[in-house]
Amino acid sequence: MQDLPITALPQETQEALKAIGKADILIGIPSYNNAETIGHVIRAVKLGHAKYYPGKRAVLINSDGGSTDGTREAAQTAFDEDIYDLSLVHRPQEPIEGVTTTYLGIPGKGSAFKAVFEAAHLLGAKACAVFDSDLRSITPEWVQLLLAPVLEKGYGYVCPFYRRYKYDGTITNSIAYPLTRALYGRRVRQPIGGDFGFSGELVSQYLEKDVWETDVARFGIDIWMTTTAMVEGFKICQSFMGAKIHDVKDPGADLGPMFEQVVGTIFLLMKTYESRWRKVVGSRPTAIFGFKTEVSPSPLQVNLERMITKFKQGFDQHETYYEQALSPDCMSKLAEVREMATERAIDFPKVLWVRIIYNYAASYQKESDRKHLLESLIPLYFGFVASYVRETESYDDYKAEETIEELCEIYEDTKPYLLQRWKEKGCEE
Amino acid sequence: MEEKKKILAVDDEEDIRFILKEELTDEGYDVYTLGDPTQALDKIEEIKPDLVLVDIKMPQMSGIELLGKIRDKYYDLPVILLTAYSSFKRDIASAASDHYVVKSGDLTELKNRIERIFKVKV
């Protein structure tokens, strides 16, 4: 194993992992003030290991960001609990080892994951999985769903495939999924799903990248992991996990940092992988594993008026900036959308949204104040999501999914426009 | 000269197989047909098609099941699902297909989808 500098794991955690020695499987759970839910996630992982991989050496690491609500204590309690008999699951021959640590580095989910990657590297793990600590719908089966494609079928990266309510995951639906698909040609429905499986080889690739001072160390981690797996040629699949029930947020609420870090990371990666995405036309689907069940995710109430208000206020605030960042045709269409928007109604054409994203992707490369650029995109995102909510109000989740598919094809078909804007902005390699 | 693209159409209905073969051959494709989906993997191995068309409702094996088997063995082989109903989309596994087309006497939509697939570069 190649020696890589360990920077996210404290010395005492490194010692603890060295004492464990080797492991076949490494499960990571990042956390920050998740005392209420982390115990459930840990218990599900312990049972998943016992049910599906009882003979494999496994380590479960809680990589915490300095929680003050007792998350680490809750994790330790769940590690120590004997849950097997009451759960009617045989005790594994190799009990799972539980480790809690406070990661080092920039506070954020990505740094928490770096500690997990380093632990996997130190233990020589063949397969890894990570689970969000706010999950309420996780079951022991999720462990197998994310690990089996790696351990048994030779996949390098496993993405979750959830049933989500039509208004849950709006950053995914409006940007992360369709843009990643159009850029790199692979359809991965939940590229920032939060729960992933991956091989030890991919961990080594991740650790070789010098990205830990960027937004990858924060919420950019998920899209970075997925994009890296795609671009570096790892075989990718999806596993159907059922419904995702977690601490959902109204898309009209403050998603600022998450939006900026995810979208900023996608734009940043476009420069890194320019030669890769430029030649891609269209997209290909990805294999799906897992047991099919009919599940209905809980509805999420959205505040349409608030989103439209944020769009209108944001437009008025950033109008001068939009005139610089957007092409004249986009700007005049956008002004029309602003003009026509009422308190509860807005029609934001999908083609316009895609062109705006492509304009921003190109502008981002040359912009000195990237934070301002991304902040100015948020009101437009609210406008587009409000329009999507209006369009799909009477749709069930399946029909709403067709609307997303239509958006994806517009992203793919409009790619020549991206190349044109990329050139006009002087971004070409 | 560019080699003709090979298409394998798997459908239990003889009439549909006939129409697909006639019309897609006219479009310049090399079309093979198969009525029994249980033989599809062997046929794929034999002719190495560039695209497979799969009917969803077949007595011996559902098209969704066949899609899963194809995707498991051939990571990047394009597959279009053919269906008379849109309710199949409730089956999550259908998302592993490249596209789906609702069956109709007019094959324009299918031809457009095929053309789109053959333009894909990933």
Side-chain angles (χ1 to χ4, degrees):
Chain A
M1 200 187 338
Q2 196 188 334
D3 274 340
L4 289 164
I6 302 294
T7 60
L9 284 172
Q11 194 59 41
E12 67 269 22
T13 309
Q14 293 183 45
E15 300 300 330
L17 293 170
K18 279 176 192 158
I20 291 169
K22 293 278 170 200
D24 302 306
I25 293 168
L26 187 282
I27 310 275
I29 303 176
S31 64
Y32 182 65
N33 289 339
N34 301 105
E36 265 187 45
T37 49
I38 195 165
H40 172 67
V41 178
I42 290 174
R43 283 188 285 274
V45 169
K46 282 172 70 172
L47 292 176
H49 165 252
K51 275 177 88 169
Y52 296 103
Y53 301 106
K56 294 219 183 275
R57 291 207 74 187
V59 173
L60 171 50
I61 184 165
N62 166 220
S63 182
D64 188 67
S67 297
T68 53
D69 69 340
T71 297
R72 290 185 62 184
E73 293 74 12
Q76 194 58 55
T77 303
F79 284 149
D80 297 340
E81 261 179 299
D82 188 342
I83 53 171
Y84 301 107
D85 285 348
L86 278 178
S87 305
L88 304 174
V89 173
H90 290 294
R91 208 172 296 278
Q93 297 100 291
E94 293 273 0
I96 195 164
E97 298 267 6
V99 176
T100 57
T101 190
T102 303
Y103 63 80
L104 307 173
I106 294 173
K109 184 178 175 183
S111 295
F113 272 31
K114 183 166 195 281
V116 172
F117 300 154
E118 288 178 349
H121 183 72
L122 285 174
L123 294 164
K126 294 181 190 73
C128 310
V130 284
F131 296 100
D132 276 345
S133 47
D134 67 344
L135 283 169
R136 293 164 201 275
S137 53
I138 184 172
T139 65
E141 282 60 46
W142 285 32
V143 172
Q144 188 218 16
L145 287 165
L146 292 186
L147 290 176
V150 177
L151 289 167
E152 293 158 34
K153 288 185 174 288
Y155 283 89
Y157 191 64
V158 189
C159 272
F161 195 110
Y162 312 110
R163 279 276 182 237
R164 297 177 85 166
Y165 184 62
K166 58 187 174 181
Y167 305 143
D168 181 19
T170 45
I171 298 177
T172 298
N173 292 345
S174 61
I175 306 179
Y177 168 52
L179 179 55
T180 305
R181 166 175 158 170
L183 287 173
Y184 304 106
R186 184 61 61 188
R187 298 178 203 167
V188 173
R189 185 63 185 85
Q190 299 292 337
I192 54 172
D195 314 303
F196 304 104
F198 41 94
S199 65
E201 288 89 329
L202 185 50
V203 166
S204 301
Q205 287 274 336
Y206 287 153
L207 286 173
E208 281 171 14
K209 311 279 181 195
D210 180 19
V211 292
W212 306 106
E213 300 297 318
T214 69
D215 280 340
V216 172
R218 303 182 180 92
F219 284 124
I221 183 71
D222 290 6
I223 195 66
W224 176 81
M225 285 171 68
T226 302
T227 306
T228 304
M230 275 181 196
V231 176
E232 301 289 348
F234 284 82
K235 213 172 151 193
I236 297 178
C237 69
Q238 303 174 90
S239 277
F240 179 53
M241 324 286 281
K244 176 159 184 160
I245 301 169
H246 63 132
D247 295 341
V248 291
K249 295 173 188 79
D250 174 351
D254 183 24
L255 290 176
M258 184 173 184
F259 180 93
E260 288 166 32
Q261 290 161 27
V262 170
V263 177
T265 300
I266 299 175
F267 289 168
L268 198 66
L269 289 168
M270 285 176 73
K271 190 67 198 165
T272 312
Y273 294 123
E274 182 181 348
S275 61
R276 177 69 174 75
W277 61 258
R278 285 183 75 92
K279 58 186 181 201
V280 171
V281 176
S283 65
R284 300 298 330 282
T286 305
I288 299 179
F289 296 107
F291 183 68
K292 292 157 273 176
T293 50
E294 192 66 33
V295 285
S296 299
S298 315
L300 162 66
Q301 293 302 317
V302 297
N303 189 330
L304 189 64
E305 286 92 343
R306 182 166 61 182
M307 283 193 285
I308 295 175
T309 302
K310 284 187 174 184
F311 163 68
K312 290 201 270 192
Q313 288 173 346
F315 179 91
D316 298 343
Q317 185 190 340
H318 298 290
E319 189 171 359
T320 323
Y321 189 78
Y322 295 145
E323 280 165 1
Q324 295 163 28
L326 300 175
S327 59
D329 62 311
C330 270
M331 187 59 209
S332 65
K333 285 274 179 206
L334 183 61
E336 258 178 57
V337 173
R338 163 68 181 90
E339 188 66 30
M340 302 294 285
T342 64
E343 202 177 313
R344 263 198 64 80
I346 182 168
D347 180 13
F348 201 125
K350 294 184 186 75
V351 176
L352 174 62
W353 171 245
V354 173
R355 285 181 170 234
I356 287 171
I357 291 296
Y358 285 162
N359 272 278
Y360 265 77
S363 295
Y364 179 90
Q365 311 305 326
K366 297 285 173 183
E367 175 64 59
S368 54
D369 189 354
R370 288 175 165 177
K371 186 165 171 48
H372 182 213
L373 176 132
L374 292 167
E375 272 171 8
S376 74
L377 183 56
I378 293 174
L380 308 186
Y381 160 78
F382 284 135
F384 178 71
V385 172
S387 179
Y388 167 75
V389 168
R390 283 269 301 168
E391 182 185 353
T392 58
E393 251 169 348
S394 61
Y395 295 179
D396 63 15
D397 292 343
Y398 298 100
K399 193 155 169 53
E401 187 63 22
E402 285 179 23
T403 309
I404 302 298
E405 179 60 26
E406 187 192 328
L407 178 67
C408 288
E409 292 201 350
I410 294 171
Y411 267 93
E412 289 176 10
D413 295 343
T414 313
K415 210 165 158 188
Y417 179 79
L418 167 64
L419 291 168
Q420 179 199 323
R421 293 300 290 156
W422 197 262
K423 189 177 179 185
E424 284 166 4
K425 288 275 178 184
C427 308
E428 283 184 332
E429 272 177 351
Chain B
M1 204 174 76
E2 203 181 322
E3 212 173 298
K4 277 185 178 180
K5 295 282 188 193
K6 286 184 202 167
I7 297 176
L8 171 64
V10 186
D11 197 309
D12 61 308
E13 290 181 59
E14 197 177 346
D15 292 355
I16 303 283
R17 293 200 301 272
F18 177 78
I19 293 168
L20 289 171
K21 185 159 179 80
E22 287 284 302
E23 293 232 10
L24 297 179
T25 301
D26 285 351
E27 294 294 312
Y29 301 119
D30 201 356
V31 183
Y32 298 77
T33 60
L34 187 66
D36 181 359
T38 61
Q39 294 172 13
L41 292 182
D42 289 341
K43 195 74 178 170
I44 289 169
E45 198 57 38
E46 180 196 327
I47 65 172
K48 308 257 183 300
D50 300 291
L51 167 68
V52 184
L53 307 179
V54 177
D55 178 31
I56 287 195
K57 213 169 159 104
M58 294 181 284
Q60 304 95 326
M61 182 196 288
S62 85
I64 301 274
E65 189 185 342
L66 177 56
L67 166 67
K69 288 177 189 290
I70 293 172
R71 192 58 72 231
D72 196 24
K73 195 165 178 197
Y74 303 96
Y75 185 61
D76 260 336
L77 175 58
V79 177
I80 293 180
L81 292 174
L82 304 174
T83 176
Y85 316 95
S86 59
S87 56
F88 78 93
K89 281 177 282 173
R90 292 182 179 268
D91 189 332
I92 208 106
S94 66
S97 69
D98 286 70
H99 292 294
Y100 72 90
V101 173
V102 177
K103 281 181 180 177
S104 111
D106 178 4
L107 296 192
T108 309
E109 168 67 7
L110 177 63
K111 289 171 189 171
N112 289 342
R113 285 294 169 190
I114 292 173
E115 204 178 320
R116 189 179 174 96
I117 283 177
F118 287 143
K119 281 183 185 159
V120 169
K121 285 185 212 155
V122 294

